[in-house]
Each structure stands twice: as structure tokens, then as C-alpha cells.
Amino acid sequence: MGLKPILRANNINGGLNFKSLVYVPEELISDNQLVQKDDIVFSMSSGSKHLVGKSARAVSDFDGSYGAFCGVVRPSGFICKPYLYYVFQENNFRNLISQVAKGSNINNLKREHILSFGVSLPPLNEQKRIVAKIEELFSELDSGIAALKTARKKLKVYRHAVLKHAFEGKLTKKWREENSEKLESPAQVIARIQKEREARYAQEIEEWKAAVHVWEANGENGRKPGKPSKPPEVRRASVPDFETPLEWAVFEFGSIAYECVLGKMLDKGKNIGEERPYLGNINVRWGKFEIDEPKTMKIEKSEIERYSLQVGDLVICEGGEPGRCAVWGGKDGAIFIQKALHRVRFTQSYLPEFAFYYLKYSVPLERTVRHFTGTTIKHLTGSGLRKVQLPVCSKAEQEEIVSVIESKLSDIDVLERELEVQFRRADILRQSILRKAFSGQLLPQDPNDEPASELLARIRAERAAANAAQKRTRSAKSGRKAKVDTSD
């Protein structure tokens, strides 16, 4: 038993693509259902109104058919077939689809929606001239779009190169030569970070003692305040994952950060306390937070310090896209983190923005990925995060690197926004060409062309002949089924 491929909605994208085809027994497909050259294949059903009604023209015969959620329009042999295809690419048809494609969860385009769509039909020769002009203009437009896409790819490469050069020390090589008096050795930087960590820990111990005193004075009501954990000693990575300039060093995350805290587990049955807003994985994007309507969870007073965010905290995704992160710049204590997120807090000698840009650069690299756990779904656990290595340089150079990165990436952002404007203009221009084509404004008309009325008469005759042939076929099949034995 042979098999034949069928096209589905995912095979319709500007043109027809033949990836991820599904195969069915060939006896389920009649010859008339095989896709022929110039057939227009439609997506008839989709969960998105943007996708339902999209179409593509077959540029050659295809030894296969189309699935149940697709449909085919086969243009008459008496018209310029590509002309009809371009009609369905114009916004008038898209506007119709947005109005008529209805469903509770799935948007459906019916056969009659397409067949009842009004089409301006000029004489055949004019159709051919219009198609030729459309394709000439579209070819020029496509060349421009290809150049825009190339530019966008180059900007993406440049964006990565900026980060790569930053953390290889190349971005500030000249700056180091010109600002040697501002440089500190890694040992000096680490010594100061260690002192800052010890001072902060001592302060937290005093605050904890005061909180315990209040708790005791209140009759030990509620949970006893937890004693702060002493941060580990700062140690240089024994085997660095990457090379740095001589003026830099490499340390593990757990040695540089003052604390790395995983958010609170969501458990409506066990959590107690006051409902407070929190961030989940979905709220953290690269370099920003998306918080339209934050959800809430119950958090006790004793948990506020541990799970709340302060300005400068680096918030890192534990799952989803492990390592994706952003630096919190909102109000202190205004929002909390759920267990899908890590909160990393540094002392003042290590910039969270410096760590952010390093992760932005290194998360796709094997030296960071190797700290992820899981086979199908990846996670960056607390222990894995503490082992991720970070570059260490003087604070002055950290500030210079962050400044240069942000300046260059800002320039890239401006260029990328301009490219998006040009892409939108290209779409508008494409629609303008189609609109003029089907309103008679793209080309002058030729009075010597055959009148469109004669073309319509031939199309009607073609349709009448086809209907008659179908009736004869159905009648013949019905006759064979009704045959009886008339012998004595």
C-alpha cells in the first residue's frame, strides 16, 4: 500500500514549504485532490485569526494533497491564474477573514466565504500585465527586504561580539593602558569584597538579635526569626573556565555574591501570612521585568527580608530559560520571588549589571550550560548557580565596561528599531501595490483589450460544462448501483 504526502497549515508560509509532511494511504486521495500547478492552498482553521485564511500558490504540480484543515481554490483556465492568487494577498480579503472566521477556540474559514468574495476581473491581457508589474515591483521589494534581513543578522552578530570582547578584556584594553592608576589587582578587589561581606553579615546578626528580642518580648508568638547564614569565604576558582587579561581573575558565583537565595515555594495549602505580589519565571526577561498584573502569595513577616527584592538585586531564572536574568530597579520590598527564581545580592564592589551582561553573554556557552541539570527540561539549581564562574576586575573597569556595553547596545537598539520600521514600510508598500493593482491604478488600461464581459461568458460556459460532466458522472455511478437481474 503506497502513501502520499498531505499539506497542512504549517506548510503555508508566504509560499508552500514541504517540511514535516504527513503521509496517508494513497487510495484516500482522488486524482482531483492532488495539488496542481497554480492551485491556491488555504489554511481553513486555526486557533489564531492571524493564521486562518493564509494562502500560498503551488508553483508546480505536487504529487500529494492537503489536510482536513486546508482548502484549495483552482482558478479557471480562462484567467491569469497568478492574478487570483494576488487578489487573496490583499488586505480586503484579510479584513473579510477577520470578520467571518468565527469559533469558540478555533477560527474557521468556510468554503462559501472564499467563493462569495468579490473579485475585480479586468480583461485577460490586462490581468497578465498587472501580474507582470506586481512581480516586477515585488522583486525589487524582496531585494530590499533581503538586504534588511542581512543587516538584522549582522546587528545580532555585532551584539554578541560586543559582549564577547567585553569579557575577553578587549573592549577596555586601551582604557586600562590609559587608566592604570584606577586599576586594582584581583586580590585587592576580593579583599575589599570580603570585608564588605563580613561587615554586612555583622549588621545582619545585630538586626537578627534585635528581631529575636522583639519576638521574645511578644511572648514568642509566631515563628522565631531565622539566624542569617554566614557567607562562605571568597576563593579563586581552582580551574578557570575561561581566559582573562592578566589584570583580571576568575571566581565562582558563590564566592563573589553575598547571598544567592531561591524564591518561596508556591503552596496554597501550607503557606500562611499576608498576600503579597510576587514574580515568577515568566515575569523575568533579559534585562527587564514584565509585570502587568502580578499574582500574589502568602508570605509571613519573618520571610519578608529573605524573599523580597531590593534595588540592585540580580534576579535569575532557575528554569524555563535557565540563567535569563535582570537587575531589579524598582522599590525596595515591593515585590517577592517565587521558587522559579534566584535572588542574588552582591556587595558594592561588584556591580550586578556587570554580572548581568556576563550571563547574557555566557548562558548559551558550554561553560555555563554544564552547570544546568535535567535532560529534557533544564534547570539552574542553587548549587549549580554557585559554581558558575564570573570574571573579576577592578570596580572602575567594571563601571567602564558596563558603560561601553550599554552605549554600544543602545546604538544597536536604535538601528534595530529603524530596521523594524523599514520592514513595516515594506509591508505597507506591498499592500499599496496590490490595492492599486486591483483598483485599476497600477497600469493604464488598453481599449483594444477584449471586454471582460466576454471573458466572464467563457468562464460561465466552462463552469456549466464542468457541472454537466459531474452530473453525468454521478448518474453513471448511480446507474451501476441500481442495476438488477432481469433474466427469467
Side-chain angles (χ1 to χ4, degrees), residues 167 312 314 327 346 350-358 402 405-406:
F167 295 106
L314 181 63
V327 178
F346 298 96
Y350 200 86
L351 300 181
E353 294 82 5
F354 186 76
F356 160 73
Y357 283 117
Y358 176 73
V402 169
I405 286 176
E406 291 182 345

Side-chain angles (χ1 to χ4, degrees), residues 122-221:
L124 180 59
N125 285 337
E126 187 173 346
Q127 293 176 39
K128 292 177 180 178
R129 292 195 301 272
I130 288 173
V131 167
K133 188 63 176 179
I134 287 174
E135 292 182 345
E136 175 192 340
L137 295 174
F138 277 14
S139 178
E140 295 175 2
L141 193 57
D142 289 341
S143 295
I145 291 173
L148 292 175
K149 289 180 178 178
T150 298
R152 185 162 61 185
K153 288 180 180 177
K154 287 182 178 179
L155 286 178
K156 185 176 181 180
V157 171
Y158 179 51
R159 184 184 292 275
H160 177 75
V162 168
L163 296 176
K164 183 174 185 291
H165 289 170
F167 295 106
E168 288 178 346
K170 296 177 182 178
L171 203 61
T172 46
K173 180 179 180 181
K174 186 176 180 181
W175 180 90
R176 287 195 299 275
E177 294 171 353
E178 296 173 350
N179 295 272
S180 57
E181 74 284 356
K182 298 180 181 179
L183 299 181
E184 293 179 296
S185 69
Q188 290 174 307
V189 176
I190 292 302
R192 191 167 61 255
I193 289 176
Q194 182 68 20
K195 286 183 179 179
E196 291 168 352
R197 285 155 59 105
E198 291 171 355
R200 182 175 292 186
Y201 177 66
Q203 180 183 347
E204 288 186 350
I205 288 295
E206 291 304 314
E207 292 172 352
W208 168 73
K209 289 179 179 178
V212 170
H213 179 72
V214 171
W215 174 75
E216 291 173 341
N218 291 330
E220 300 184 358
N221 185 28

Side-chain angles (χ1 to χ4, degrees), residues 399-430:
E399 291 170 342
E400 178 67 14
I401 287 172
V402 169
S403 176
V404 174
I405 286 176
E406 291 182 345
S407 175
K408 290 183 178 296
L409 294 189
S410 177
D411 291 341
I412 294 172
D413 289 340
V414 170
L415 292 173
E416 286 180 335
R417 286 194 294 270
E418 178 58 30
L419 286 177
E420 291 305 315
V421 169
Q422 296 302 324
F423 279 118
R424 288 195 293 272
R425 286 178 179 171
D427 288 338
I428 293 170
L429 180 56
R430 191 182 299 274

Side-chain angles (χ1 to χ4, degrees), residues 315-335:
V315 184
I316 304 174
C317 292
E318 186 268 348
E321 184 185 358
R324 187 175 69 225
C325 57
V327 178
W328 179 250
K331 185 179 177 181
D332 286 354
I335 205 159

Side-chain angles (χ1 to χ4, degrees), residues 341-385:
L341 300 174
H342 298 281
R343 172 181 60 73
V344 178
R345 192 166 289 167
F346 298 96
T347 63
Q348 57 265 37
S349 291
Y350 200 86
L351 300 181
E353 294 82 5
F354 186 76
F356 160 73
Y357 283 117
Y358 176 73
L359 287 177
K360 176 75 172 173
Y361 161 62
S362 72
V363 159
L365 304 180
E366 174 57 29
R367 66 191 191 213
T368 301
V369 171
R370 71 187 182 89
H371 296 295
F372 297 170
T373 62
T375 53
T376 305
I377 301 177
K378 299 294 184 181
H379 293 273
L380 179 58
T381 64
S383 60
L385 175 62

